[in-house]
Amino acid sequence: MSAAAVGAKTTVLTDLPYCLDGLRRNIRATFESAEQNGSCESGCSTASDTSTVGDVTAQALDWFQPDDSPLLQANSVDVILGADIIWYTSAVSAL
């Protein structure tokens, strides 16, 4: 969300499939809050598709199987930012 807030052209938030509904709700709530308090610039309006809000998309990604993800194809990602990525200690080796 921070990358989108500072002007990233496209921001993709990822998590495991079972977490996507919550992630999408959080994206929508963040944009709605920003719109209400006036801190959201143009392009922050929520879309009818719950997968995409503004320039932020939520998609599944399993770091234990990164080759299965079209997100990580050659030259498709400029920057990877990590947040809250080590709460699940058995996942550390995949990162």
Side-chain angles (χ1 to χ4, degrees):
M1 297 297 292
S2 296
V6 296
K9 183 177 178 182
T10 302
T11 303
V12 180
L13 305 183
T14 65
D15 212 326
L16 295 173
Y18 74 91
C19 298
L20 291 180
D21 287 341
L23 181 57
R24 290 175 178 136
R25 282 191 303 272
N26 290 339
I27 293 168
R28 183 168 296 281
T30 299
F31 275 96
E32 288 172 353
S33 176
E35 287 176 330
Q36 289 173 1
N37 70 29
S39 63
C40 188
E41 300 198 13
S42 63
C44 291
S45 61
T46 56
S48 58
D49 175 2
T50 59
S51 298
T52 303
V53 180
D55 290 328
V56 178
T57 302
Q59 295 185 28
L61 176 61
D62 183 345
W63 284 102
F64 281 104
Q65 300 174 358
D67 293 336
D68 294 344
S69 174
L71 291 173
L72 299 179
Q73 299 303 315
N75 300 318
S76 67
V77 176
D78 293 325
V79 176
I80 296 175
L81 301 174
D84 299 327
I85 57 174
I86 58 170
W87 68 271
Y88 187 53
T89 56
S90 65
V92 172
S93 65
L95 302 173

